[in-house]
Amino acid sequence: MLRTVKPRNARSKRALDAREAKEVEDVRTAIFVKGTHTGEVVNGVMKELMALKRPDAISFSKKNAIHPFEDASSLEFWAGKNDASMFLMGQSTKKRPAGLIIARTFDSKVLDMCELGVDKFVSMAEFKTPKSTPGHKPMMHFASELFDTHPRFMQLKSLLMDFFNGEVIDSICLPGLEHVISVSLAPAPSLRPANPILGESQEDDIQNLPKIHIRTYTVKLLPSGTRVPRVELTEMGPSLDLSLRRHQAADPEMWKAAMRRPKLKKQDLEKGLGKKKKNMEVDEMGDLRGRVHIAKQDLDKLQTRKMKGLKSTPLEEDGSSEDSGSEQEDDPRQKKRKRD
């Protein structure tokens, strides 16, 4: 059960309102933490990933004795103190060498985690190619169907999207698309789940999963003779080969609370935020316009309003009778003339 914190004064109320769920979320800040033992590979990977995450990144220079899968209290304390929702921890042990842990929090509580092992790492310095501008939002590419079907890869895709996702934008400027982060999978012999009856453990199931390849490319737009430019990709680094290890799934109740959308105000609805209502749209001037559909009407049975100006007066009725009498009187004379 998630506890609710009541504000004591106006200042704390403003701080809590700023951290509440929003329809358009802010940029996720990531904290980079080093464990007690880190090697050269782990330090290089964290440095390169922090360069891609800047300026929404915080680095802890000191080493910390943390074990997130056993005790996540330190992460929750840092998340509340620094207003951060993502963590990248690096640690290397004899049992799990060159390990990276990506953690995500909600309401200053750890939501889910995933541990990755670094099998191969190539730094940016080894690629003698131009680099992207720091702070630009990357394009993400996931080249496998397993990212939409397998639960482990679905969790990894969600974590990477939240980790590298920047500010939400309304429009895209083509020169601002400078680099692409491509995530692909190596061919795997089989994806058969572990069978506990036969004595197979989860570790054996993890070993059967394919390796993960992360590559970063710079985008170069060249003239093509049409309005759509020709795109060329040049690898800029870093290049990572990762393997899946331990993971912690999200609590169903906490996941439901994290996915809940806030109630929008009337002003936000008029601006076009939230769920789009049927037959309602906001024009360029910001005015809310609606369209009403009615059934086909029979105009013959339509009851119109009776106007007094269309009614005949008594004088008009007398005049019409006199005219009809004179016409009747003229008729015998005309007949006589015709006989003559």
Side-chain angles (χ1 to χ4, degrees), residues 15-75:
L16 290 176
D17 291 342
R19 295 189 180 187
E20 282 185 353
K22 303 175 183 178
E23 184 67 24
V24 180
E25 294 184 352
D26 298 332
V27 183
R28 295 180 179 269
T29 303
I31 298 179
F32 292 75
V33 186
K34 295 180 181 179
T36 53
H37 300 284
T38 56
E40 183 180 357
V41 175
V42 175
N43 291 335
V45 171
M46 296 185 67
K47 183 179 179 181
E48 300 287 336
L49 293 180
M50 187 175 179
L52 296 176
K53 182 61 179 174
R54 281 176 180 171
D56 305 310
I58 301 174
S59 177
F60 288 177
S61 58
K62 295 183 179 180
K63 296 183 178 181
N64 300 271
I66 55 173
H67 303 281
F69 287 95
E70 288 78 19
D71 183 16
S73 58
S74 299
L75 301 183

Side-chain angles (χ1 to χ4, degrees), residues 15 21 33 43 66 87 91 109 122 142 168 173 185 237 243 263 284 292 313:
V33 186
N43 291 335
I66 55 173
F87 284 90
Q91 192 165 0
K109 300 293 181 182
V122 182
F142 294 89
V168 179
C173 181
L185 299 180
S243 57
K263 293 182 179 180
E284 297 178 356
V292 180
T313 60

Side-chain angles (χ1 to χ4, degrees), residues 195-211:
N195 191 353
I197 300 177
L198 300 177
E200 297 178 354
S201 63
Q202 186 179 6
E203 297 294 334
D204 299 333
D205 184 26
I206 293 175
Q207 294 178 358
N208 295 329
L209 296 178
K211 304 293 182 180

Side-chain angles (χ1 to χ4, degrees), residues 263-273 277 288:
K263 293 182 179 180
L264 297 178
K265 300 178 182 179
K266 183 179 179 181
Q267 297 177 355
D268 297 335
L269 287 173
E270 292 177 354
K271 291 179 181 178
L273 296 177
K277 292 188 176 181
L288 185 65

Side-chain angles (χ1 to χ4, degrees), residues 102 140 142 156-165 183:
I102 304 177
M140 301 293 297
F142 294 89
L156 179 63
K157 177 182 177 180
S158 178
L159 288 170
L160 292 177
M161 288 289 289
D162 285 348
F163 187 83
F164 290 107
N165 189 22
V183 185

Side-chain angles (χ1 to χ4, degrees), residues 8 26 81 119 144 229 242 271 308:
R8 297 182 179 179
D26 298 332
K81 186 177 181 180
D119 299 332
S144 178
L242 307 175
K271 291 179 181 178
K308 291 184 179 180

Side-chain angles (χ1 to χ4, degrees), residues 55-287:
D56 305 310
I58 301 174
S59 177
F60 288 177
S61 58
K62 295 183 179 180
K63 296 183 178 181
N64 300 271
I66 55 173
H67 303 281
F69 287 95
E70 288 78 19
D71 183 16
S73 58
S74 299
L75 301 183
E76 296 173 355
F77 172 74
W78 292 331
K81 186 177 181 180
N82 298 276
D83 192 15
S85 58
M86 298 295 299
F87 284 90
L88 181 66
M89 292 151 285
Q91 192 165 0
S92 182
T93 60
K94 185 176 181 180
K95 186 177 181 180
R96 299 181 179 89
L100 295 175
I101 300 177
I102 304 177
R104 178 169 47 186
T105 63
F106 169 72
D107 196 17
S108 300
K109 300 293 181 182
V110 174
L111 182 63
D112 56 349
M113 291 184 290
C114 180
E115 184 179 11
L116 303 169
V118 182
D119 299 332
K120 183 180 178 181
F121 167 65
V122 182
S123 176
M124 288 185 184
E126 300 187 19
F127 294 93
K128 307 301 181 181
T129 54
K131 315 300 179 185
S132 62
T133 306
H136 278 224
K137 187 175 181 178
M139 293 181 287
M140 301 293 297
H141 175 244
F142 294 89
S144 178
E145 296 180 356
L146 295 178
F147 289 112
D148 298 326
T149 56
H150 199 280
R152 290 298 307 274
F153 293 106
M154 289 172 63
Q155 182 194 28
L156 179 63
K157 177 182 177 180
S158 178
L159 288 170
L160 292 177
M161 288 289 289
D162 285 348
F163 187 83
F164 290 107
N165 189 22
E167 183 180 359
V168 179
I169 55 178
D170 298 331
S171 58
I172 299 176
C173 181
L174 287 181
L177 303 176
E178 294 190 0
H179 62 295
V180 182
I181 299 177
S182 176
V183 185
S184 58
L185 299 180
S190 64
L191 291 177
R192 181 177 55 86
N195 191 353
I197 300 177
L198 300 177
E200 297 178 354
S201 63
Q202 186 179 6
E203 297 294 334
D204 299 333
D205 184 26
I206 293 175
Q207 294 178 358
N208 295 329
L209 296 178
K211 304 293 182 180
I212 305 163
H213 301 316
I214 298 179
R215 304 290 185 265
T216 310
Y217 303 91
T218 55
V219 179
K220 189 175 182 181
L221 303 178
L222 301 176
S224 62
T226 61
R227 294 186 61 182
V228 180
R230 184 167 59 90
V231 180
E232 285 188 0
L233 300 179
T234 306
E235 190 170 2
M236 74 168 191
S239 175
L240 295 172
D241 291 349
L242 307 175
S243 57
L244 289 174
R245 292 181 181 175
R246 297 177 295 174
H247 82 290
Q248 176 180 323
D251 182 64
E253 184 180 353
M254 187 180 295
W255 182 263
K256 184 179 179 180
M259 298 300 291
R260 185 183 297 118
R261 289 195 171 189
K263 293 182 179 180
L264 297 178
K265 300 178 182 179
K266 183 179 179 181
Q267 297 177 355
D268 297 335
L269 287 173
E270 292 177 354
K271 291 179 181 178
L273 296 177
K275 186 177 180 180
K276 186 177 180 181
K277 292 188 176 181
K278 190 175 181 180
N279 300 326
M280 294 180 65
E281 59 182 5
V282 181
D283 58 6
E284 297 178 356
M285 302 301 294
D287 299 330

